[in-house]
Amino acid sequence: MCPSQPNRGEQSIRNDIERVLFTEEQIARRVETLAGQIAEQYAGRELTILAVLTGSLIFLADLIRKLPLPMRLDLVSVSSYPGQATRSEGPKVTVPPAGTLRGRNVLIVDDILDSGLTLQYLLDMVAEYQPESVSSCVLLRKERPDVENRTEAEFVGFDLPDEFVVGYGLDYDHLYRNLPDICVLKKHLYQDSQ
Ligand code: IMP
Ligand code: MG
């Protein structure tokens, strides 16, 4: 494609965006700081990252390349937002971890903490494998004052208001994961399904 011509695909997904919350550059800086905090916490230990597919994929790729630690990587697939829902309807593991978590220092890595149901579900699941330790890291944490005693993550990238966000791995109906920034989606695109 000629570089002077606009990329029509990118333009059309940008049209669905109300505003950018965190830019690519802001995210890169924050991810580096977060990696530093994790490295400090786990210094001298071997880490097993258990990443939650698919939303954490881009965050995971950036985070682990900033981690100067011996680490293993395992993946778990959890379905909590079937199709066009924007509120969790209860998580289910659709692909369990492949490797061993027993005796390991497990760090769960997810894209966003909303109701906390997914994280609590995963903490319970990991505990059954008898790890040495378990903690969690999320790129985003939504303000949800309506949720009492929400399960919290030890490492958090950014706090954000209770709005539906896409980009940098996060999707709505499987779209927008490839946007490099974290963006608020125009409400009319999803409010009919709530
Ligand atoms: P929770 O179980 O309500 O905490 O939801 C966590 C999961 O819901 C995350 O791992 C995301 O996959 C998804 N999720 C929550 N809020 C958003 C959002 O604003 N955009 C995209 N996905 C979201
Ligand atoms: Mg998720």
Side-chain angles (χ1 to χ4, degrees):
M1 191 181 23
C2 169
S4 61
Q5 280 182 341
N7 174 339
R8 299 175 75 88
E10 163 84 356
Q11 251 191 357
S12 74
I13 58 173
R14 285 272 170 200
N15 286 341
D16 295 347
I17 295 314
E18 191 175 284
R19 66 183 198 282
V20 173
L21 266 188
F22 304 110
T23 64
E24 212 177 338
E25 293 74 22
Q26 286 174 305
I27 299 167
R29 279 198 299 274
R30 187 67 193 126
V31 168
E32 194 160 357
T33 305
L34 213 46
Q37 290 168 356
I38 293 168
E40 205 179 300
Q41 184 80 29
Y42 286 92
R45 289 189 287 168
E46 187 189 271
L47 184 60
T48 297
I49 290 196
L50 182 65
V52 186
L53 293 172
T54 305
S56 72
L57 206 60
I58 295 174
F59 173 43
L60 171 75
D62 286 345
L63 182 75
I64 63 174
R65 284 177 296 170
K66 298 287 177 196
L67 277 179
L69 288 175
M71 58 147 285
R72 296 162 196 267
L73 178 60
D74 208 336
L75 303 168
V76 67
S77 197
V78 179
S79 124
S80 51
Y81 280 36
Q84 300 178 339
T86 57
R87 284 280 189 232
S88 180
E89 291 172 14
K92 271 191 217 89
V93 165
T94 53
V95 181
T100 178
L101 302 179
R102 190 185 175 94
R104 306 266 195 236
N105 294 298
V106 178
L107 179 69
I108 298 170
V109 171
D110 203 357
D111 51 1
I112 183 163
L113 180 69
D114 183 11
S115 68
L117 288 175
T118 304
L119 183 57
Q120 188 54 56
Y121 180 80
L122 286 169
L123 287 167
D124 293 343
M125 185 204 77
V126 171
E128 284 177 24
Y129 289 91
Q130 299 180 295
E132 171 71 23
S133 68
V134 58
S135 57
S136 58
C137 171
V138 292
L139 174 66
L140 302 168
R141 175 168 62 187
K142 242 184 228 190
E143 271 169 33
R144 289 291 303 273
D146 57 312
V147 180
E148 277 177 39
N149 303 317
R150 179 171 70 174
T151 302
E152 282 301 332
E154 282 79 7
F155 303 94
V156 176
F158 299 98
D159 282 295
L160 77 164
D162 185 8
E163 287 181 289
F164 200 78
V165 290
V166 294
Y168 196 69
L170 291 112
D171 76 309
Y172 172 64
D173 201 15
H174 307 287
L175 291 169
Y176 310 105
R177 293 196 198 276
N178 52 326
L179 279 169
D181 309 314
I182 295 169
C183 306
V184 176
L185 195 60
K186 285 183 180 163
K187 287 204 176 47
H188 74 89
L189 291 169
Y190 67 85
Q191 65 192 3
D192 293 345
S193 67
Q194 281 190 315

